Amino acid sequence: MNILLLIIILLAVLIVVVAYNMHQENQYRQKIRSQFGHADSDALLNASHRSTRDGQTFAETGKRLRHSPAQPETQTPAPAESNPPKPAAPQTQPENPKTESPQAKPTKQPAENSAAQTAHNEISITLSEKPEFQAAEPEISVTLAPAQPAAKPKTNPNQSELQFDRAEQQPKRETPFARIINSVAEAAETRKPLVSLASLENSDLQWFDKRFDYMSYIALYEPKELNVIPRLSGSHRFQIIGCTLDGRFQAAEPIPGVAYQAFVIGLQAISRSGLAGEEELEHFAQQSRQFAEKMNGIASTTHTGDFLEAARPLDELCARVDQTIAIHLVARSNVSGNELRHTVEKAGFMLMHDGTFAYLGSDGDPKYTIAALDGSVFTEALLSNQPYKGFSMLFDITRVPSAEEDFNEFMNIAVKLSGELGLDLVDDQVRQLSTEWLKEVRTYVGARQTEMRRVGIEPNSPLAKRVFA
């Protein structure tokens, strides 16, 4: 019961407060109306207004923004404005139309007549905002001028009219936001990379061959360090060469303190895996552009269609010459692993990490290869404990410098090993090798290497090792 009584008391207090506020608000409204007279009087006639469109001031007493050509505005009497307290008197007296003064609205009558006379010459739009609790009632008038303003007399040259045609003739003002946008656009146009893309595209770098490598060129707007090597391809190899601040090209690496001003990236589109497709090249181009944006630069890539058109014939040639000649040395019985290793190492072969024996050339790269007949790998443990049925000697046409000389050397080593280990020389069909067969193979190897040289691929050259790796 105590809580309910407390709630009733609080509600009663709240109702009293609301009623008192409404009474005060009503008293304030009546006071404002008594000060400013009836609705026809304008409290802002004597105020000085500044137009927001052209910045001119309208300060003439008793003159509105509307202008009548038929009757000059200087002839309009304004007794109501000269003595504002008089219109307030009828509000306190009883309503009696006979006792009301005929001069209570002297300003409104001429204005209405003037507006009726000039309706065919101008359109007047008035936006009035009369809030409940404001002392001043702002009025904004916009006048549309007639088609021929020369025929309209003006009694006061200092008074201006807001005309749409005049506003259109004025130059457009540039806003602060527009100035910012324009300045950014101008800065983007005048912004230049540290190295031009044209100079990068015309560069001839030893790491690339533009017939085999799909190229991407990236020029930076400011020097940048390469923090991480980007992943730009899936199944095909690529190289990133960076241009340092002193203009040198080197393999780009994430080295602290080394900044680059440009990058040249080449995707090896022709390899033993085949020719890269159009989708793969477009994906690589997109990744290159993303890498350029991340490094604050711009990118340019080779035209995909033109590159593929020139690369397809090269890929067909590479597939034709990419062949390996195999000669098999087969034992009538088994040969121990230790004996096999001892014999081939004495002939100049070395056991490699990939499980084969390699005969190294003058450049240190494998020239001839020995592999197990069954495709298994040679290891230290297996060679010590396991016998073998023989092995295969492999001659890679693309990785041997001279067809005739090197093939003769290859056959001499094979004959020597077969004699020391008691093995038979056979071909893929396990047929004994004949002298005629060896001559045909030697001629075939020479023809394939001639095709390679015709298109600028020297056998066993860096390009050949990269394409046929």
Side-chain angles (χ1 to χ4, degrees):
M1 294 297 296
N2 293 333
I3 296 176
L4 181 61
L5 181 62
L6 180 61
I7 294 175
I8 294 174
I9 294 174
L10 291 176
L11 290 176
V13 172
L14 180 62
I15 293 172
V16 171
V17 171
V18 172
Y20 178 76
N21 289 337
M22 295 175 62
H23 175 72
Q24 291 292 331
E25 181 180 351
N26 189 26
Q27 293 293 328
Y28 180 73
R29 291 181 180 178
Q30 294 180 1
K31 183 179 179 181
I32 294 301
R33 291 195 183 99
S34 65
Q35 291 179 357
F36 288 93
H38 53 77
D40 293 332
S41 44
D42 194 342
L44 299 179
L45 287 176
N46 296 330
S48 177
H49 301 280
R50 181 169 297 275
S51 172
T52 58
R53 186 174 291 271
D54 55 11
Q56 298 192 18
T57 302
F58 304 92
E60 289 75 17
T61 303
K63 293 182 176 60
R64 299 179 183 269
L65 294 180
R66 300 174 184 177
H67 193 275
S68 174
Q71 184 176 357
E73 295 183 4
T74 55
Q75 297 177 4
T76 303
E81 284 79 357
S82 61
N83 192 7
K86 289 182 180 181
Q91 295 183 2
T92 58
Q93 298 177 0
E95 296 182 0
N96 189 359
K98 296 181 180 180
T99 60
E100 185 176 356
S101 175
Q103 296 182 357
K105 300 179 181 179
T107 306
K108 183 177 180 180
Q109 184 65 28
E112 293 177 353
N113 296 335
S114 176
Q117 295 174 1
T118 62
H120 65 283
N121 291 331
E122 63 181 2
I123 299 174
S124 177
I125 303 173
T126 303
L127 302 177
S128 300
E129 183 181 0
K130 298 182 179 181
E132 293 289 337
F133 305 107
Q134 279 193 345
E137 298 180 357
E139 182 180 72
I140 302 175
S141 297
V142 181
T143 302
L144 181 63
Q148 296 180 355
K152 184 176 180 180
K154 292 186 179 180
T155 58
N156 191 350
N158 295 327
Q159 183 176 7
S160 302
E161 295 179 358
L162 296 179
Q163 300 176 356
F164 291 138
D165 55 352
R166 179 179 177 182
E168 292 176 356
Q169 294 177 1
Q170 295 180 354
K172 296 182 179 179
R173 299 180 181 179
E174 187 179 20
T175 62
F177 180 75
R179 285 196 297 270
I180 295 175
I181 296 299
N182 293 335
S183 61
V184 171
E186 292 176 359
E189 292 179 357
T190 58
R191 193 181 182 194
K192 293 183 179 179
L194 301 176
V195 180
S196 67
L197 288 175
S199 62
L200 291 176
E201 293 172 358
N202 294 328
S203 61
D204 187 13
L205 303 179
Q206 60 179 344
W207 295 275
F208 306 111
D209 189 312
K210 296 179 182 179
R211 301 171 302 167
F212 299 88
D213 299 306
Y214 182 75
M215 304 302 298
S216 174
Y217 307 94
I218 298 174
L220 306 184
Y221 289 110
E222 57 182 353
K224 287 278 189 177
E225 293 184 8
L226 184 63
N227 297 323
V228 179
I229 298 292
R231 297 176 60 89
L232 302 179
S233 177
S235 59
H236 295 270
R237 296 186 297 271
F238 67 92
Q239 296 183 87
I240 301 181
I241 304 301
C243 180
T244 58
L245 298 182
D246 56 358
R248 297 184 187 179
F249 287 92
Q250 64 182 35
E253 296 178 349
I255 303 175
V258 177
Y260 299 94
Q261 58 181 337
F263 296 97
V264 180
I265 308 175
L267 176 72
Q268 185 178 323
I270 299 178
S271 65
R272 279 181 166 167
S273 301
L275 177 62
E278 184 175 357
E279 293 183 0
E280 295 177 280
L281 300 183
E282 291 293 345
H283 182 61
F284 170 78
Q286 181 182 2
Q287 290 178 319
S288 299
R289 287 190 289 268
Q290 293 175 354
F291 174 66
E293 293 177 0
K294 182 179 179 181
M295 298 295 290
N296 189 20
I298 54 177
S300 171
T301 56
T302 306
H303 189 271
T304 305
D306 296 342
F307 175 82
L308 290 176
E309 184 178 356
R312 288 189 182 100
L314 284 173
D315 180 63
E316 294 174 0
L317 182 143
C318 291
R320 187 166 58 250
V321 302
D322 188 13
Q323 299 185 36
T324 301
I325 305 300
I327 296 179
H328 309 292
L329 288 81
V330 181
R332 295 184 178 90
S333 60
N334 292 333
V335 56
S336 67
N338 288 328
E339 184 181 4
L340 186 152
R341 180 178 182 179
H342 175 73
T343 304
V344 299
E345 286 183 348
K346 187 174 64 172
F349 287 84
M350 295 178 56
L351 182 61
M352 308 301 291
H353 296 290
D354 60 354
T356 62
F357 287 96
Y359 186 89
L360 304 182
S362 59
D363 56 358
D365 291 336
K367 191 175 181 181
Y368 316 126
T369 305
I370 289 179
L373 286 175
D374 57 359
S376 62
V377 297
F378 293 113
T379 63
E380 298 278 351
L382 293 177
L383 289 170
S384 300
N385 302 309
Q386 178 178 313
Y388 290 90
K389 290 289 295 182
F391 55 86
S392 300
M393 287 187 62
L394 307 178
F395 182 94
D396 192 338
I397 296 177
T398 63
R399 302 295 295 270
V400 176
S402 176
E404 185 174 354
E405 296 179 4
D406 292 322
F407 188 75
N408 290 337
E409 180 184 34
F410 174 76
M411 288 306 306
N412 291 333
I413 296 175
V415 171
K416 181 180 179 181
L417 291 176
S418 65
E420 294 181 358
L421 294 174
L423 306 176
D424 295 330
L425 294 174
V426 298
D427 58 12
D428 292 336
Q429 285 75 34
V430 196
R431 294 176 301 189
Q432 293 285 337
L433 297 183
S434 63
T435 305
E436 193 65 28
W437 182 88
L438 294 176
K439 290 180 180 180
E440 291 178 0
V441 171
R442 182 169 55 193
T443 303
Y444 181 83
V445 171
R448 301 290 79 77
Q449 289 193 348
T450 301
E451 285 189 86
M452 294 175 61
R453 292 188 177 94
R454 231 179 251 145
V455 296
I457 307 177
E458 188 67 27
N460 201 42
S461 64
L463 177 60
K465 293 177 180 178
R466 189 159 61 89
V467 172
F468 302 104

